[in-house]
Amino acid sequence: MKKFNFRKVLDGLTASSPGSGSGSASNSGGAGSGSVHPGGTAGVLREEIQESLTSEYFQICKTVRHGFPYQPTALAFDPVQKILAIGTRTGAIRILGRPGVDCYCQHESGAAVLQLQFLINEGALVSASSDDTLHLWNLRQKRPAILHSLKFNRERITYCHLPFQSKWLYVGTERGNTHIVNIESFILSGYVIMWNKAIELSTKTHPGPVVHLSDSPRDEGKLLIGYENGTVVFWDLKSKRAELRVYYDEAIHSIDWHHEGKQFMCSHSDGSLTLWNLKSPSRPFQTTVPHGKSQREGRKSESCKPILKVEYKTCRNSEPFIIFSGGLSYDKACRRPSLTIMHGKAITVLEMDHPIVEFLTLCETPYPNECQEPYAVAVLLEKDLILVDLTQTNFPIFENPYPMDIHESPVTCTAYFADCPPDLILVLYSIGVKHKKQGYSNKEWPVSGGAWNLGAQTFPEIIITGHADGSIKFWDASAMTLQMLYKLKTSKVFEKQKVGDGKQTCEIVEEDPFAVQMIYWCPESRIFCVSGVSAYVIIYKFSRHEITTEIVSLEVRLQCDVEDIITPEPETSPPFPDLSSQLPSSRSLSGSTNTVSSEGVMKDSIPCLSVKTRPVRMPPGYQADLVIQLVWVDGEPPQQITSLSISSAYGIVAFGNCTGLVVVDFIQKTVLLSMGTIDLYRSSDLYQRQPRSPRKNKQFIADNFCMRGLSNFYPDLTKRIRTSYQSLTELNDSPVPLELERCKSPTSGLATRTPEAAPGFYRNEMPAVRQRNQVHHLPGEVKGSRKLSLPTDLKADLDHVNGHCTSPTSQSCSSGKRLSSADVSKVNRWGPGRPPFRKAQSAACMEISLPVTTEEARENSYNRSRSSSISSIDKDSKEAVTALYFMESFARKNDSTVSPCLFVGTSLGMVLLISLNLPSSDEQRFTEPVMVLPSGTFLSLKGAVLTFSCMDRTGSLMQPPYEVWRDPNNTDENEKTWKRKLVMNYSTSPQEAGDHQYTIICSEKQAKVFSLPSQTCLYVHNITETSFILQAEVVGMCNSACLACFCANGHIMIMSLPSLRPMLDVNYLPLTDMRIARTFCFTNEGQALYLVSPTEIQRLTYSQEMCDNIQDMLGDLFTPIETPEAQNRGFLKGLFGGSGQTFDREELFGEATAGKASRSLAQHIPGPGSIEGVKGAAGGVMGELTRARIALDERGQRLGELEEKTAGMMTSAEAFSKHAHELMLKYKDKKWYQF
């Protein structure tokens, strides 16, 4: 272990001279090595902290992906292994088995998956992609790998078919030809069925692409080929000729056999089903239009929508099932997509919520020539996967054990908690299970393949997702699985929006006014806090008892300072200006609608949503305790919340936005502080007005607001951002919008100006903030709109500099620079009332640069071409509150003991400490006021502040204090007299911990470690020069702490604490979508996650120990299962059932008979999982060892299979011997005439 010495200088020492400071600064080391403070030789206290973390503890590795596969295209099922595979448009494959068996694999090309085919009970999968390539996947390992690939060069693949227990794959192409591929070697056979030989010579038109291939259940030597134009050819493989041909007027979409092999059914583009008999191929045996209107005899049935797929499955004891998708009548345009089940004379139409992509019927037997006995239907929808139970007459669906409903409403924010209290999962599950949907099938989920067990590393993990409809879901993420525990609906707090005035009541966002924006959860105290896009904050408390009560609400008027009014001389400047004289007159706002109604009434002091005023029944679980809403100010809607924090120990919640900071006491339900950000710097006299220089009036524009809009997640090529479920899921995920935004200036709009008002500083109450249960409704005539601006952690104003993303607050700095005493002294050089504004505006207040049309581009070309530095001179920077943190710390430089503090970080890199003066006793806490006062302590960083944390003098991570949870609605007498129990989380005694502590602060550019109360900067690490940090978190790992950062250029960086030594820097994921930046989060024990697509959550680990044990934590896709034996066909069926049992495909398709295929037709590519791939990727001794290991693995698998077969034969032999012996004893003493 390496020891690092920290020096603490006594307060009051003077800084060293500039000469000595510059000399110290010249000694620049590596990244994060700068660690000096103002000079002085006397009174130096040395501290030794041992850092146990080294770079060997860290490694980046993807673990598991949860959710519904995004944009699915294909579906396959192995009836013996009972595993399901789903292919997607992005080239991904998800393989699902029993709960816990969930595997994700990706084609390197990213081409869409057209079709999937399992090698039934062989542990392999064939995928056909849109780039005309076939891939063979090995599923006998926990992470599947490609063994072989075959690239077609001259033809496009349209359909594939692999017969059961066959190694020859039939491949149909767009030209109408049929090729045959050897699965073992993945080499094309010389046997080809050309389209011109399959059809009659007299046919003058091309039959179209091959849409179906299947061998006859009765005779494996006969192949059924379906062409798009309605032609069906029954091809004899031995004689290489067409045995019969079928023609129909309508195009064919799909074909399915009757298990006896004498009939087959086709689905057509006119919504009809035709049943053909091989004995009379001239006309269909039966023609039906299931959803067509009945016509008179002799007239053709009414055409319907195409039947895209049909399956014809037989049963032993009942009528056959005919299942198809589509085929509805055209006059029912509003009907949803449907799946039709025809069983005898009964027709059941199952309407789906989303379009049907594919469906499969799950049958008892894998043999196509046996009675199928279907028991379920797997239906793959665009946004869901459902399984229908066919064994019950009402066709209920199975309860899905996978988390396929993450995207039920678009995910807007995430939170990840590892190693949380273990009882929380059981408590949340017991509450949530009472609200589960009913009506599911009583049978178990039929996809039950694979094997899974708990790994060695198991600790409680909870994921929380916030959604656009205001719902919040708690998920159990322990042991690499995901299961929903509890669902909370925040919209139940508010009145429902009326259909007629929905646009008038929610001016901040066009849709989804209840969308969750930020969440803060204290697992120990079970206090939950949520903020929404409509500028509200809700505080929830957990209770096991149901209550009916009124919801307490507060309205807060948060108003920022104005500088565009010419200020008079200091001696004539009144301390409280007349607000009425400063109200802006009604004017037409550029780019937005007027906020003044037709009657001339301006909106003011009105919230965006209406809280329910009547008593509300709250079921057990999280119950709303307090609702805080920001109100309109002088016709302008409130700006969205950019930071949120809550302390259960102090009973205080704090939140901020681009306007200022609000601190609320949620125990006494009072507002303690409501103040503009600029007023937080005036700590000497909060009501004092500082004179300013006269300035030129700027245009009053309401287009530039700092808001965290849902538009940041899903880029669109339209200027109007919509956040509904349908629009979000239909948007393109390409990185093009990000590249477009890089070309736009972040300063194309002017800052919004609001009238000047005195800063709102409250002790218990203030006239501008009213505690109430009565909510004012918004006038329907008033409208207002604004552009959604990008918050600090979602930088859209990316400049393209040498291919990197740059932040507008970036400045030239050297990584690992040692601070000179002169540099350190600059931290506190600003006096009271002089906020350290910079010329470069932070991206927290920048306007999103949305792609616009060509006409708009011409109009605004001048504004967008201006550089950010020039534009920022013309407008004042709005300083947003970007980070909040409650902790027992030193509020002032002269403090000797810790006290409750609130750290406030801003978008300009400033850190302010606010002192919290709480009553001393529990009884007084409910009655006495809480004093909140800015302490005057300022710390400075480059870039917007992202996160805070504290460590004690021993280097142990300090957790914020919390209150031990107790049920607020418990009727027990003991609970009523129970006092508040606070946990301060001191790693040592309070006296020792109160000596001094280390504060870690990370911004979008750098990280610093300060020693408090001396406020000395011990270490600084310039994390990035050309980019900026999106997410940063101080996390615990291996009984130590580290700083984890995710950068906009895709790098994940880990630094040790408190020395800020780089431990890991990996180029993991480029920022292609703002969704990733919004949802990326780190947590303890080396875990992280992000929303990789609108429907999927990707989890990863940066722990070397978990990467080493990941194989033990994943499930097995393949388990050894004996293939069921085929049914005895009987003597007559064996005699007259055709020649299927004597057909030898090897002899017919092998190289000796069919010859070699043309090399230009297809190219064989060894996969990375094959021996050939290993030979190409490795050489020398290591390559030989790898090849030997793979060969041994394959040999061991074969030996294991042989051993199992031998054991089965021995068991059969013993049983036969036993029965023979019993038969011998039975007839031993009988004479011949007694038989």
Side-chain angles (χ1 to χ4, degrees):
M1 298 182 182
K2 187 175 181 180
K3 295 183 178 180
F4 295 90
N5 296 327
F6 294 88
R7 297 180 178 179
K8 178 184 177 184
V9 182
L10 297 177
D11 299 333
L13 295 180
T14 58
S16 60
S17 63
S20 61
S22 60
S24 175
S26 63
N27 184 14
S28 60
S33 61
S35 173
V36 295
H37 42 267
T41 58
V44 176
L45 177 63
R46 296 179 178 270
E47 294 288 345
E48 294 184 355
I49 297 179
Q50 295 181 346
E51 294 186 359
S52 58
L53 293 180
T54 61
S55 59
E56 288 77 15
Y57 282 81
F58 301 97
Q59 182 183 348
I60 296 292
C61 176
K62 292 182 180 180
T63 54
V64 68
R65 182 172 293 198
H66 302 297
F68 180 76
Y70 185 54
Q71 296 179 333
T73 55
L75 183 67
F77 181 71
D78 189 328
V80 178
Q81 289 289 324
K82 294 189 182 302
I83 56 177
L84 191 76
I86 301 175
T88 69
R89 192 176 301 173
T90 58
I93 298 178
R94 287 279 294 280
I95 305 175
L96 305 172
R98 66 176 67 248
V101 179
D102 188 344
C103 180
Y104 167 83
C105 44
Q106 173 74 41
H107 293 91
E108 292 184 0
S109 64
V113 178
L114 298 179
Q115 193 174 354
L116 296 172
Q117 286 276 326
F118 274 106
L119 276 68
I120 297 177
N121 204 26
E122 296 291 337
L125 176 70
V126 175
S127 63
S129 54
S130 60
D131 60 351
D132 306 312
T133 306
L134 298 174
H135 305 276
L136 178 64
W137 295 84
N138 180 19
L139 306 184
R140 293 176 179 257
Q141 54 194 45
K142 294 189 175 183
R143 290 190 181 272
I146 295 178
L147 296 175
H148 302 281
S149 297
L150 187 65
K151 169 72 173 176
F152 281 77
N153 299 322
R154 296 185 296 182
E155 298 193 53
R156 305 295 304 272
I157 299 175
T158 57
Y159 195 86
C160 298
H161 170 64
L162 180 65
F164 178 51
Q165 293 183 331
S166 172
K167 68 175 183 179
W168 298 95
L169 175 71
Y170 300 107
V171 181
T173 66
E174 192 177 25
R175 293 185 180 180
N177 303 325
T178 302
H179 301 275
I180 301 172
V181 179
N182 189 317
I183 291 298
E184 293 181 351
S185 61
F186 239 57
I187 297 177
L188 205 60
S189 171
Y191 192 108
V192 183
I193 304 175
M194 305 299 292
W195 68 270
N196 54 359
K197 294 183 179 180
I199 65 175
E200 288 185 345
L201 296 177
S202 59
T203 305
K204 298 181 180 180
T205 58
H206 190 278
V210 176
V211 296
H212 177 80
L213 290 170
S214 62
D215 54 341
S216 171
R218 188 180 182 186
D219 188 354
E220 296 177 352
K222 307 293 177 61
L223 184 67
L224 191 69
I225 307 174
Y227 295 95
E228 188 180 51
N229 70 341
T231 302
V232 179
V233 177
F234 196 51
W235 184 265
D236 191 334
L237 295 172
K238 286 185 178 181
S239 62
K240 299 183 180 180
R241 66 180 182 86
E243 186 171 305
L244 60 88
R245 298 180 180 90
V246 167
Y247 299 98
Y248 194 70
D249 296 337
E250 298 294 336
I252 293 177
H253 286 278
S254 67
I255 304 175
D256 199 19
W257 279 101
H258 188 278
H259 80 275
E260 293 181 352
K262 298 178 182 180
Q263 298 175 344
F264 61 88
M265 181 174 289
C266 303
S267 66
H268 300 278
S269 58
D270 62 345
S272 63
L273 296 174
T274 56
L275 185 63
W276 300 83
N277 197 318
L278 296 181
K279 293 183 178 180
S280 56
S282 58
R283 56 180 299 177
F285 175 73
Q286 182 181 354
T287 302
T288 58
V289 183
H291 295 294
K293 293 182 179 180
S294 59
Q295 302 288 344
R296 296 180 181 179
E297 295 184 0
R299 296 185 59 183
K300 187 178 180 180
S301 300
E302 178 190 13
S303 296
C304 296
K305 295 179 182 179
I307 296 179
L308 302 179
K309 184 177 181 180
V310 63
E311 292 205 350
Y312 187 21
K313 303 301 179 183
T314 55
C315 304
R316 293 188 183 90
N317 303 322
S318 64
E319 296 291 330
F321 280 93
I322 300 175
I323 306 171
F324 60 90
S325 61
L328 295 179
S329 177
Y330 280 106
D331 61 353
K332 299 178 181 178
C334 297
R335 291 191 62 175
R336 295 184 293 181
S338 64
L339 183 78
T340 305
I341 302 175
M342 300 175 61
H343 190 209
K345 295 183 179 181
I347 300 178
T348 304
V349 179
L350 304 178
E351 291 188 346
M352 304 296 172
D353 295 331
H354 312 288
I356 298 175
V357 177
E358 175 70 284
F359 75 89
L360 289 174
T361 306
L362 312 187
C363 303
E364 295 288 350
T365 176
Y367 294 94
N369 57 355
E370 295 180 358
C371 196
Q372 298 299 296
E373 292 294 337
Y375 60 89
V377 179
V379 186
L380 178 63
L381 308 177
E382 279 191 0
K383 300 176 181 67
D384 201 0
L385 172 69
I386 64 173
L387 265 70
V388 182
D389 188 358
L390 296 179
T391 61
Q392 301 183 36
T393 56
N394 58 340
F395 302 127
I397 65 173
F398 292 90
E399 185 178 3
N400 198 329
Y402 314 123
M404 293 291 184
D405 57 345
I406 293 177
H407 63 287
E408 184 179 10
S409 176
V411 178
T412 57
C413 61
T414 58
Y416 193 7
F417 300 88
D419 204 12
C420 53
D423 60 328
L424 268 180
I425 294 179
L426 296 177
V427 170
L428 290 173
Y429 180 78
S430 62
I431 298 296
V433 74
K434 301 176 182 178
H435 304 284
K436 277 194 173 183
K437 296 180 180 179
Q438 305 296 326
Y440 292 108
S441 174
N442 53 9
K443 294 188 177 181
E444 294 184 357
W445 181 257
V447 184
S448 57
W452 176 79
N453 53 0
L454 291 174
Q457 291 183 333
T458 55
F459 41 82
E461 299 176 79
I462 293 179
I463 295 174
I464 304 177
T465 56
H467 299 266
D469 63 350
S471 62
I472 298 172
K473 295 180 181 180
F474 293 76
W475 306 83
D476 178 13
S478 307
M480 310 296 289
T481 61
L482 194 67
Q483 181 183 6
M484 194 174 78
L485 298 173
Y486 174 71
K487 183 177 181 180
L488 175 66
K489 295 181 180 180
T490 61
S491 60
K492 291 185 176 181
V493 174
F494 303 99
E495 297 287 355
K496 292 183 179 180
Q497 300 294 319
K498 296 182 180 180
V499 179
D501 54 48
K503 292 286 184 179
Q504 287 81 7
T505 56
C506 299
E507 289 85 351
I508 291 186
V509 290
E510 294 182 357
E511 295 184 7
D512 300 319
F514 308 112
V516 177
Q517 184 180 11
M518 302 181 69
I519 51 181
Y520 192 96
W521 188 42
C522 179
E524 291 80 10
S525 63
R526 303 184 186 179
I527 291 287
F528 186 72
C529 191
V530 56
S531 69
V533 293
S534 297
Y536 66 82
V537 173
I538 308 176
I539 301 172
Y540 288 91
K541 291 185 177 181
F542 189 85
S543 175
R544 298 177 183 269
H545 304 279
E546 178 180 325
I547 60 171
T548 300
T549 182
E550 293 185 356
I551 301 174
V552 181
S553 62
L554 294 175
E555 293 179 358
V556 180
R557 182 184 178 93
L558 187 58
Q559 190 168 359
C560 67
D561 210 354
V562 169
E563 298 183 5
D564 52 350
I565 298 175
I566 300 178
T567 308
E569 295 299 325
E571 59 270 11
T572 61
S573 176
F576 295 98
D578 185 9
L579 298 181
S580 60
S581 62
Q582 298 179 6
L583 290 177
S585 60
S586 173
R587 71 188 72 181
S588 177
L589 301 181
S590 175
S592 65
T593 59
N594 293 337
T595 58
V596 182
S597 64
S598 58
E599 290 83 1
V601 180
M602 179 179 292
K603 279 192 176 184
D604 189 64
S605 302
I606 300 176
C608 298
L609 299 174
S610 299
V611 180
K612 292 181 179 179
T613 57
R614 61 184 182 277
V616 178
R617 186 187 69 86
M618 299 182 184
Y622 275 104
Q623 300 166 351
D625 182 65
L626 177 65
V627 179
I628 309 168
Q629 291 183 283
L630 298 181
V631 298
W632 285 62
V633 177
D634 299 329
E636 290 299 326
Q639 300 182 18
Q640 292 185 4
I641 295 168
T642 57
S643 58
L644 176 67
S645 183
I646 191 170
S647 173
S648 60
Y650 306 153
I652 295 176
V653 61
F655 60 92
N657 58 9
C658 282
T659 304
L661 174 68
V662 176
V663 180
V664 176
D665 182 353
F666 65 84
I667 293 180
Q668 300 184 29
K669 308 296 188 299
T670 58
V671 178
L672 303 176
L673 180 71
S674 176
M675 185 180 295
T677 312
I678 189 174
D679 296 314
L680 294 175
Y681 296 99
R682 305 187 181 104
S683 59
S684 57
D685 185 356
L686 293 175
Y687 293 92
Q688 179 182 0
R689 285 287 166 183
Q690 298 294 334
R692 304 185 188 90
S693 300
R695 297 192 180 186
K696 178 180 61 177
N697 281 338
K698 299 180 177 64
Q699 184 181 1
F700 188 84
I701 295 178
D703 286 342
N704 185 21
F705 281 82
C706 179
M707 300 172 57
R708 293 181 179 229
L710 296 179
S711 57
N712 299 337
F713 309 102
Y714 305 93
D716 192 6
L717 295 181
T718 61
K719 190 176 182 181
R720 204 170 185 81
I721 297 178
R722 304 183 64 85
T723 60
S724 64
Y725 176 82
Q726 181 179 1
S727 61
L728 283 177
T729 51
E730 290 177 354
L731 296 178
N732 187 12
D733 266 357
S734 65
V736 177
L738 181 64
E739 298 298 330
L740 293 177
E741 291 187 10
R742 290 180 177 177
C743 303
K744 298 181 182 291
S745 172
T747 56
S748 57
L750 295 178
T752 304
R753 312 311 311 166
T754 56
E756 185 174 10
F761 175 76
Y762 308 104
R763 284 163 175 80
N764 258 351
E765 57 186 356
M766 189 71 181
V769 182
R770 292 166 291 137
Q771 177 178 353
R772 62 176 185 86
N773 291 327
Q774 178 108 17
V775 180
H776 296 279
H777 295 276
L778 301 180
E781 299 82 12
V782 183
K783 296 182 180 179
S785 66
R786 63 168 76 175
K787 293 182 181 178
L788 300 182
S789 297
L790 195 62
T792 306
D793 56 347
L794 302 179
K795 310 298 184 195
D797 47 331
L798 309 178
D799 298 328
H800 190 67
V801 181
N802 297 328
H804 298 286
C805 303
T806 61
S807 171
T809 59
S810 60
Q811 297 178 359
S812 58
C813 56
S814 60
S815 177
K817 176 182 177 182
R818 288 185 176 271
L819 296 180
S820 64
S821 58
D823 294 334
V824 176
S825 64
K826 294 179 182 179
V827 173
N828 296 324
R829 71 173 184 267
W830 299 286
R834 295 191 61 188
F837 288 124
R838 298 172 181 164
K839 290 185 177 181
Q841 183 184 11
S842 172
C845 301
M846 295 299 178
E847 179 182 345
I848 295 182
S849 302
L850 296 178
V852 295
T853 60
T854 307
E855 291 76 15
E856 292 172 330
R858 293 196 190 101
E859 294 175 3
N860 302 327
S861 60
Y862 172 72
N863 289 334
R864 289 201 303 269
S865 63
R866 302 168 67 191
S867 66
S868 60
S869 59
I870 297 176
S871 300
S872 60
I873 295 176
D874 295 341
K875 67 174 183 177
D876 294 328
S877 300
K878 258 194 171 181
E879 190 171 11
V881 177
T882 57
L884 296 169
Y885 181 65
F886 288 98
M887 176 53 73
E888 295 279 322
S889 186
F890 301 91
R892 297 173 181 83
K893 199 168 186 178
N894 297 326
D895 288 351
S896 58
T897 58
V898 295
S899 61
C901 294
L902 172 61
F903 288 78
V904 180
T906 72
S907 57
L908 296 182
M910 293 303 301
V911 177
L912 304 91
L913 268 70
I914 295 180
S915 177
L916 308 175
N917 189 2
L918 302 175
S920 57
S921 63
D922 290 343
E923 293 78 9
Q924 294 177 349
R925 179 64 185 88
F926 294 93
T927 57
E928 296 295 325
V930 177
M931 305 298 293
V932 179
L933 183 67
S935 64
T937 299
F938 305 129
L939 304 174
S940 175
L941 287 86
K942 287 189 297 185
V945 179
L946 300 179
T947 188
F948 299 95
S949 190
C950 289
M951 304 178 75
D952 62 13
R953 61 182 299 173
T954 64
S956 299
L957 190 63
M958 297 175 60
Q959 300 296 334
Y962 64 89
E963 178 188 2
V964 177
W965 174 80
R966 69 182 181 95
D967 197 328
N969 304 319
N970 200 332
T971 57
D972 191 0
E973 293 296 331
N974 295 329
E975 287 290 332
K976 289 183 178 180
T977 58
W978 191 81
K979 295 184 179 181
R980 298 177 70 220
K981 182 179 180 182
L982 304 183
V983 178
M984 306 310 293
N985 280 324
Y986 288 128
S987 58
T988 57
S989 64
Q991 292 76 15
E992 294 180 1
D995 185 12
H996 73 279
Q997 62 182 209
Y998 304 108
T999 299
I1000 301 99
I1001 309 174
C1002 183
S1003 71
E1004 62 182 6
K1005 285 292 184 180
Q1006 63 179 191
K1008 286 186 178 182
V1009 177
F1010 291 91
S1011 177
L1012 298 181
S1014 66
Q1015 301 177 11
T1016 304
C1017 182
L1018 299 176
Y1019 274 86
V1020 58
H1021 177 60
N1022 296 310
I1023 300 176
T1024 177
E1025 298 285 348
T1026 58
S1027 186
F1028 51 88
I1029 301 171
L1030 295 169
Q1031 293 293 336
E1033 193 71 32
V1034 176
V1035 295
M1037 182 175 173
C1038 300
N1039 297 323
S1040 187
C1042 59
L1043 175 63
C1045 303
F1046 175 61
C1047 199
N1049 57 15
H1051 285 249
I1052 292 179
M1053 292 162 284
I1054 309 294
M1055 283 148 283
S1056 66
L1057 292 177
S1059 66
L1060 296 177
R1061 290 183 299 114
M1063 297 284 100
L1064 179 72
D1065 188 351
V1066 175
N1067 188 4
Y1068 172 75
L1069 178 72
L1071 181 61
T1072 57
D1073 199 306
M1074 282 302 166
R1075 182 193 309 107
I1076 300 174
R1078 179 69 176 193
T1079 58
F1080 201 104
C1081 52
F1082 297 95
T1083 188
N1084 298 327
E1085 305 300 333
Q1087 305 297 310
L1089 65 80
Y1090 59 94
L1091 201 69
V1092 68
S1093 73
T1095 61
E1096 294 172 291
I1097 290 177
Q1098 178 66 58
R1099 293 169 63 181
L1100 63 143
T1101 180
Y1102 49 92
S1103 169
Q1104 177 67 57
E1105 184 180 2
M1106 179 163 283
C1107 291
D1108 295 338
N1109 299 328
I1110 190 67
Q1111 292 295 330
D1112 298 333
M1113 305 176 69
L1114 298 177
D1116 292 305
L1117 296 174
F1118 178 80
T1119 55
I1121 299 175
E1122 187 174 354
T1123 304
E1125 296 183 359
Q1127 296 179 0
N1128 188 6
R1129 302 183 66 190
F1131 175 75
L1132 294 178
K1133 287 187 178 181
L1135 184 61
F1136 301 104
S1139 58
Q1141 299 298 320
T1142 61
F1143 179 69
D1144 188 2
R1145 293 188 178 92
E1146 180 68 30
E1147 180 182 354
L1148 187 60
F1149 303 144
E1151 184 177 344
T1153 305
K1156 293 184 178 180
S1158 174
R1159 292 185 178 180
S1160 61
L1161 183 61
Q1163 177 186 0
H1164 175 257
I1165 305 172
S1170 64
I1171 294 182
E1172 292 83 355
V1174 174
K1175 289 180 180 179
V1181 178
M1182 293 302 295
E1184 293 294 337
L1185 290 175
T1186 306
R1187 289 192 290 272
R1189 180 180 59 80
I1190 293 178
L1192 286 175
D1193 291 342
E1194 295 178 352
R1195 182 173 179 270
Q1197 292 176 358
R1198 295 192 189 99
L1199 289 176
E1201 295 173 0
L1202 181 61
E1203 183 178 357
E1204 293 173 0
K1205 292 181 180 179
T1206 304
M1209 293 175 63
M1210 290 179 62
T1211 304
S1212 300
E1214 291 177 358
F1216 179 77
S1217 175
K1218 180 180 179 181
H1219 290 308
H1221 184 68
E1222 292 175 354
L1223 189 62
M1224 183 269 294
L1225 294 177
K1226 182 177 180 181
Y1227 298 103
K1228 178 179 180 182
D1229 299 329
K1230 290 187 178 182
K1231 304 296 182 180
W1232 64 270
Y1233 52 81
Q1234 294 177 332
F1235 288 98

